[in-house]
Amino acid sequence: MTTPGSSADDYWRPPGAGDPSGAPNPPGAPSPATAPSGAPNAPGAPLGEPGPTPTSPVGYTGPPPTTPPPADWHPPLYLQPPPPRQLPGQDQAALDLAEQRAQHLTWIVGAVAAVILLALSCAFCLRLVR
């Protein structure tokens, strides 16, 4: 249900927030202006505690203040890990030689594949010409 001058979100806005045109409250919710001063708590609120006061700020006031831990605080240490071990040395000359061999093999396989594709292309073109 829509009324002139209201949006679909008016139903979900809290009273007094958002729309300055004084949009109506959701159905079944009491208006803060018409609620008696001795009214019972809102549904779901703990009993015996007063509801929000009308002088409370409506905006976000920020996170609650925190106290940092002492400067010398650390979590308890139950097990001391061993220091990292040394990795074995690498033979750079052998690694370079293996990389060169792998590169030559890759080039040879690529050249063979290119020759086979060229031969197949020529055979296909010759069949089309005849």
Side-chain angles (χ1 to χ4, degrees):
M1 176 175 115
T2 59
T3 58
S6 67
S7 71
D9 292 335
D10 287 344
Y11 180 81
W12 303 107
R13 285 195 182 107
D19 192 21
S21 66
N25 288 337
S31 171
T34 61
S37 61
N41 290 340
L47 295 176
E49 293 183 18
T53 61
T55 60
S56 65
V58 290
Y60 178 67
T61 60
T66 59
T67 55
D72 59 347
W73 178 86
H74 292 287
L77 183 63
Y78 296 111
L79 179 65
Q80 183 68 32
R85 56 190 168 93
Q86 293 291 327
L87 294 175
Q90 296 178 349
D91 185 5
Q92 296 295 329
L95 288 173
D96 289 340
L97 184 62
E99 184 178 353
Q100 286 176 355
R101 286 182 183 163
Q103 185 178 18
H104 287 146
L105 177 66
T106 302
W107 286 26
I108 290 171
V109 169
V112 169
V115 168
I116 291 173
L117 285 175
L118 182 65
L120 288 174
S121 299
C122 288
F124 182 69
C125 289
L126 283 176
R127 280 194 83 143
L128 287 178
V129 172
R130 285 193 212 179

